[in-house]
Amino acid sequence: MLWCESLVLKLSQQIIKTPVAEDIRQLVMSPNQDFLAILTTHTVHICILPDSSHLSSLESAPPKPKFFTIGSTTHVTSRSAVVSALWHPLGVNGTALVTVTEDAVVRIWELSTADRWSFDKASLAIDLKRLADGTCLDQDFGVSVSATNKGFSPDSFDMEVAAACFPARHSGNWSPMTLWVAMTGGDLYALCPLLPKKWSPPPTLIPSLSVSIVNRSGSTEDDPDASPEERLLAQQQLQWMAELDKQEPKIVEDTYEDAVLEVYTRPEHPGKVPRLQGPFEFEVNPEDEQDDEVELKDIFVIGQGVNTAELMLGEDDDLDDEEDAGLSLSVICLLSTSGQVKVCLDAEGVEAKWLPPRPLSSKFKPLGPMSEPPSLLVFQTFDTVKPAELTSDSWPMFSQDPASRYSFYVTHPAGITHVNLEPWVSRLENELGEESEAGAEFRIDLLVKGGQGAERERVFTQPRGQNVLAAATVIRDRDIGHLLLSSTYSQPIPIFFEAPELELATTVREASVIPELADEPAPEPAWDPRPLFRPSDYLNLKNAIPQWHELLRSGKRRALLQQEVRLSPVTLEVFTEGHKVVSAQVFQLNHAVAELFRKCEALQDELKDQLVKASEAKKKIDKITGEDSGDDEPVSVDMLIRSRLAAARAKQEELVHKMEIVRKKMGRVTTRELSDKEKAWAEEVRVLETSIMGEEIDDGSPISKAKQPWKRFEEIQALRDSLLAQAEHLRKAAGEAADDVPATPAPNVKIPAEIRRAKMAQVMSLLDRESMLVEAVKSRLERLTVG
């Protein structure tokens, strides 16, 4: 909660200025930390936060993010005030905003920077006053735009909204989709299930709901004493889950974490508008009952944990998630104007409920409201503010503590109080888990009367006279630590807490470094951190002497200013009053100036220490770089830079010269690629060379598979010898036969001269061609050898 004329967010050295003209009352950050909702009394503005890289930018001009106005015709000054703006925990990438106005109207805005219409029209609007009187699903529970009657009515008085709240995203059962609405008069309502049109549940939500709905439907069907309302509720929940099971979820990337999200569409049956549950009755102890009227200001709900044992029933693996572990009941904390905190337990559990459908026949009447109204068990009531610190215009608020699920902070104009519920949460969970004939209500009552309640500690007390204190924001980061941040009109209020868990994690991380480096001593810090100094506010206060002088000039003693100073009682009275004004002003100024002077003297000493440490660091650096030699003449930094530049230029010129030489050589050596004909001719030359030299070819080519010429020549010689031997044998056999037979003359065959000349010319041309081919091959081989 911030009250100011305009918002100025200091992020490192960057400033974000908003175009909001009215007083800013609330700031709500989106779950993915990319949107910031800025609330005034009647308007809601959305700031698209710039990227974190702007924090380290050297630009002096502040960033100019985009701003959108939610409902330019809906949330205006002529309509009801906006009391709460909540980011829906199941919205896709944290883009679903829920606004609740003072006249009990709930609107869901599904924002998209690519669609400006999403900022002007709500995707779902519900009037809780109409819904409270509803009897069937077919009725219109929307907001009447033309309604301008603002006269008195019981609903407008009893259902004046004070605050609203959603449980955390990782809560169990129906908690993440349950909107709790607290009224100013003390009534409490619940709206479940309240979902945007597109929503993304955590991985364990739908399976746990499916198990719960199936068990409820089975037990209702087997119970003959079940009422018609219970049977209708089981049927409606089963219909809702069946429509959800038919959907194929759309997979999108999570913009905040390195994960994927499953996006579902809101089921349209039994209906998109749930039933309004409430007002809840508070079951309190006699000693806690109070007759005074309570005016609620804020609500904080801690959802129940996920029942992993029921979810993983029959599975071999166990689902261990510390984030989902918690109490099996929802805890509702209510905060009143007087700083009183009421801690309630939802023993029955809020489930999804819808109104009955319109009957098809006029014989049957629609089911009315539930016979037994829902109730909450008041576990503890305590005060965070003393009676002397109460103010009539206070607005206390809750702030979540990231260190624990069951702890929070209460900010009141009187101070900030830390409340821890963990002392009784674990014991209560053990009591609820045990099976006993006494029952859970009896054991809870014994635990309440045992005296073990919440732990309270005042961490900051506001000085008297100042009644403005912004709601605390708690940051728990590895680099920053555990920080609580608040502010007043004049100064911020930072409070740092010890975080032993973070220190232990840092120690473990440092122990996992390289062993050789772990033995070395840690370097000394270059500077010691000092506390932030803020000059006294008295130095900026307006001087009271001119105002007193003006009062004296316009008062009944104004005649003394025009006369000489005379000793008289009136003059003594004037001097006494002036002395009081001057002494009070001078005393405050002297104290502030003395404090500033002491701080300036301390800064001089700190500056000397820093100069000494800087000189020692310079000596260490010179020793490492080798510039601490005292034998050589001192050389200026400019000369060193110039010499390094000259050496670099000479080296560059040498490299350029070498590169040019290499480039010329490569240009001469490099030739174009051989053509297909040249490659074929080279292969032919290689084959010929192999044929002449008599070398084997092992490359598997078809030429190498044929016999070489010299081998063929040897075979021909062997064949010739065998043929000659056969011819000689035949000749001898023929001679012996000729001796017996008389000889006959051999035929005389004559060949024409033209044929002999043609054959001889053909032989000579072939020889010339072969000689030319041999000469060409020889010359080409010589050129290749030379090249």
Side-chain angles (χ1 to χ4, degrees):
M1 176 181 63
L2 290 177
W3 294 82
C4 54
E5 295 297 332
S6 63
L7 171 64
V8 177
L9 291 178
K10 288 192 175 181
L11 304 176
S12 184
Q13 295 182 352
Q14 298 297 331
I15 299 175
I16 298 179
K17 294 184 179 180
T18 69
V20 181
E22 301 179 2
D23 294 340
I24 295 175
R25 297 171 65 90
Q26 296 184 50
L27 299 176
V28 187
M29 183 73 72
S30 66
N32 288 20
Q33 300 182 5
D34 50 0
F35 292 160
L36 179 65
I38 305 171
L39 276 69
T40 63
T41 54
H42 292 80
T43 61
V44 180
H45 306 270
I46 301 296
C47 172
I48 311 298
L49 294 178
D51 189 73
S52 58
S53 60
H54 290 278
L55 301 179
S56 57
S57 177
L58 300 178
E59 298 179 359
S60 58
K64 298 180 180 179
K66 291 184 179 180
F67 284 88
F68 296 92
T69 301
I70 295 292
S72 56
T73 59
T74 303
H75 295 310
V76 291
T77 54
S78 60
R79 298 186 180 272
S80 297
V82 180
V83 295
S84 294
L86 310 168
W87 295 98
H88 201 291
L90 301 182
V92 180
N93 284 326
T95 56
L97 183 68
V98 179
T99 59
V100 184
T101 55
E102 194 176 18
D103 58 346
V105 175
V106 179
R107 295 180 176 89
I108 300 180
W109 310 80
E110 299 184 43
L111 308 180
S112 174
T113 55
D115 183 13
R116 286 183 172 270
W117 185 251
S118 62
F119 292 88
D120 292 335
K121 185 177 180 180
S123 61
L124 181 63
I126 304 174
D127 190 349
L128 299 185
K129 295 188 293 294
R130 290 187 176 185
L131 187 60
D133 299 331
T135 56
C136 64
L137 282 171
D138 297 337
Q139 292 179 341
D140 183 16
F141 303 110
V143 183
S144 178
V145 181
S146 60
T148 57
N149 184 14
K150 296 185 178 180
F152 173 80
S153 66
D155 288 339
S156 61
F157 178 76
D158 295 335
M159 300 193 70
E160 181 181 352
V161 178
C165 180
F166 274 107
R169 172 180 173 84
H170 293 280
S171 302
N173 211 356
W174 300 94
S175 296
M177 56 186 76
T178 303
L179 177 65
W180 293 84
V181 183
M183 305 299 172
T184 305
D187 293 336
L188 188 63
Y189 294 87
L191 204 60
C192 178
L194 183 65
L195 292 171
K197 188 174 181 180
K198 299 293 184 181
W199 59 291
S200 73
T204 58
L205 180 59
I206 293 181
S208 62
L209 289 179
S210 178
V211 172
S212 175
I213 291 175
V214 170
N215 293 339
R216 181 185 183 90
S217 177
S219 61
T220 305
E221 292 179 357
D222 298 338
D223 187 7
D225 299 333
S227 62
E229 291 85 355
E230 293 179 353
R231 295 182 182 276
L232 176 62
L233 177 59
Q235 182 181 359
Q236 288 178 335
Q237 290 184 359
L238 196 61
Q239 183 182 7
W240 186 86
M241 180 55 65
E243 184 175 348
L244 193 63
D245 290 338
K246 294 179 182 179
Q247 298 183 19
E248 185 67 26
K250 181 181 179 181
I251 305 299
V252 299
E253 294 184 0
D254 192 350
T255 59
Y256 184 65
E257 298 179 353
D258 188 10
V260 294
L261 300 176
E262 294 182 351
V263 179
Y264 290 85
T265 303
R266 178 184 58 210
E268 296 296 332
H269 299 89
K272 61 182 180 179
V273 179
R275 184 172 191 163
L276 183 63
Q277 305 179 41
F280 286 80
E281 293 185 353
F282 296 98
E283 299 179 2
V284 298
N285 295 326
E287 58 269 21
D288 293 335
E289 293 182 356
Q290 297 181 2
D291 297 334
D292 299 336
E293 295 184 358
V294 177
E295 182 180 357
L296 297 182
K297 281 296 183 181
D298 201 4
I299 180 174
F300 180 68
V301 180
I302 305 173
Q304 68 182 68
V306 178
N307 190 356
T308 57
E310 181 180 359
L311 183 60
M312 302 301 293
L313 185 62
E315 301 290 339
D316 297 335
D317 300 333
D318 294 334
L319 183 62
D320 295 332
D321 194 351
E322 296 180 358
E323 191 173 313
D324 296 337
L327 193 64
S328 58
L329 303 177
S330 296
V331 181
I332 299 94
C333 302
L334 304 175
L335 181 60
S336 61
T337 309
S338 61
Q340 184 186 77
V341 178
K342 182 182 294 184
V343 182
C344 307
L345 301 179
D346 183 16
E348 299 177 0
V350 174
E351 295 184 350
K353 294 182 180 180
W354 294 267
L355 290 171
R358 183 182 295 275
L360 300 178
S361 176
S362 59
K363 298 180 182 179
F364 302 96
K365 296 182 179 179
L367 296 176
M370 294 295 180
S371 58
E372 296 182 0
S375 62
L376 297 176
L377 175 62
V378 178
F379 185 84
Q380 188 181 7
T381 303
F382 55 87
D383 295 326
T384 59
V385 181
K386 300 178 182 179
E389 298 174 338
L390 296 178
T391 55
S392 58
D393 57 345
S394 63
W395 185 10
M397 292 191 69
F398 286 111
S399 299
Q400 187 176 3
D401 185 8
S404 175
R405 183 177 183 177
Y406 292 95
S407 63
F408 51 87
Y409 292 88
V410 177
T411 305
H412 193 272
I416 303 174
T417 304
H418 178 255
V419 180
N420 186 15
L421 307 180
E422 290 186 351
W424 56 267
V425 166
S426 58
R427 183 179 174 186
L428 177 59
E429 182 62 24
N430 295 333
E431 291 289 340
L432 295 176
E434 295 179 358
E435 297 182 359
S436 176
E437 298 179 356
E441 296 182 0
F442 178 75
R443 296 196 300 274
I444 292 176
D445 186 56
L446 291 179
L447 183 60
V448 172
K449 294 180 180 180
Q452 186 178 10
E455 296 179 353
R456 290 162 287 168
E457 181 183 2
R458 177 72 68 88
V459 297
F460 175 76
T461 301
Q462 179 81 335
R464 291 183 177 273
Q466 299 183 9
N467 58 352
V468 176
L469 188 63
T473 301
V474 186
I475 302 172
R476 188 177 176 88
D477 186 75
R478 183 179 299 277
D479 299 327
I480 299 176
H482 195 175
L483 170 65
L484 184 145
L485 184 62
S486 182
S487 64
T488 61
Y489 277 133
S490 58
Q491 61 181 354
I493 302 174
I495 302 176
F496 286 91
F497 300 102
E498 294 182 359
E501 296 85 358
L502 293 179
E503 294 175 0
L504 179 60
T506 305
T507 305
V508 172
R509 183 179 61 182
E510 292 177 354
S512 61
V513 297
I514 303 175
E516 292 78 1
L517 300 178
D519 299 335
E520 297 182 1
E524 297 180 0
W527 56 276
D528 297 329
R530 60 178 183 272
L532 177 66
F533 174 74
R534 181 179 179 85
S536 177
D537 295 335
Y538 293 118
L539 296 176
N540 299 325
L541 291 178
K542 188 177 180 181
N543 192 359
I545 297 177
Q547 184 180 2
W548 171 77
H549 189 268
E550 186 66 25
L551 292 176
L552 181 62
R553 180 178 295 178
S554 61
K556 60 183 181 179
R557 304 187 186 93
R558 59 180 179 273
L560 297 177
L561 299 179
Q562 302 175 359
Q563 299 177 3
E564 296 181 358
V565 179
R566 298 179 181 180
L567 299 179
S568 62
V570 179
T571 304
L572 179 60
E573 184 178 354
V574 171
F575 272 92
T576 303
E577 292 179 359
H579 181 267
K580 290 180 180 179
V581 175
V582 173
S583 62
Q585 191 99 13
V586 169
F587 174 77
Q588 296 172 355
L589 289 176
N590 286 339
H591 182 72
V593 170
E595 185 180 2
L596 183 61
F597 179 77
R598 288 192 297 269
K599 187 61 180 177
C600 291
E601 287 186 341
L603 285 177
Q604 292 180 358
D605 297 337
E606 293 175 0
L607 180 59
K608 291 179 181 179
D609 295 340
Q610 290 184 5
L611 290 176
V612 172
K613 291 185 178 181
S615 177
E616 294 177 355
K618 184 178 182 303
K619 291 180 180 179
K620 292 181 180 179
I621 294 173
D622 293 342
K623 185 176 180 181
I624 294 173
T625 57
E627 298 180 0
D628 59 337
S629 178
D631 299 336
D632 301 335
E633 295 181 0
V635 182
S636 63
V637 178
D638 183 61
M639 292 299 296
L640 291 174
I641 295 175
R642 289 180 181 274
S643 61
R644 291 180 61 188
L645 286 176
R649 288 174 180 173
K651 187 67 175 178
Q652 179 70 16
E653 292 177 358
E654 183 181 358
L655 291 175
V656 171
H657 181 66
K658 291 182 178 180
M659 185 65 187
E660 186 67 22
I661 294 174
V662 172
R663 188 183 65 79
K664 291 180 179 180
K665 289 184 178 180
M666 293 296 294
R668 290 195 300 267
V669 172
T670 304
T671 57
R672 63 181 179 85
E673 295 183 359
L674 298 178
S675 63
D676 296 339
K677 293 184 178 180
E678 290 175 342
K679 292 180 181 178
W681 184 79
E683 182 66 22
E684 184 180 356
V685 171
R686 188 176 65 84
V687 172
L688 182 59
E689 181 184 5
T690 305
S691 301
I692 296 172
M693 301 303 296
E695 297 178 356
E696 295 288 342
I697 300 177
D698 298 332
D699 55 356
S701 61
I703 300 175
S704 64
K705 295 180 181 178
K707 294 183 179 180
Q708 302 298 327
W710 57 275
K711 290 186 178 180
R712 293 174 60 189
F713 179 71
E714 291 179 356
E715 292 179 358
I716 290 172
Q717 286 183 346
L719 182 61
R720 185 199 62 180
D721 295 341
S722 63
L723 290 176
L724 288 175
Q726 291 178 8
E728 184 66 25
H729 179 70
L730 292 174
R731 188 182 64 79
K732 291 179 180 181
E736 293 176 357
D739 294 339
D740 299 333
V741 179
T744 58
N748 188 9
V749 180
K750 294 183 179 180
I751 299 174
E754 292 82 3
I755 295 177
R756 287 200 303 270
R757 286 196 294 269
K759 292 293 183 180
M760 184 60 68
Q762 185 177 3
V763 171
M764 293 302 294
S765 64
L766 291 175
L767 290 175
D768 294 340
R769 183 178 179 184
E770 193 73 22
S771 299
M772 292 174 63
L773 180 62
V774 171
E775 291 294 335
V777 171
K778 181 179 179 181
S779 61
R780 186 63 180 270
L781 288 174
E782 289 177 354
R783 288 197 300 272
L784 291 175
T785 304
V786 174

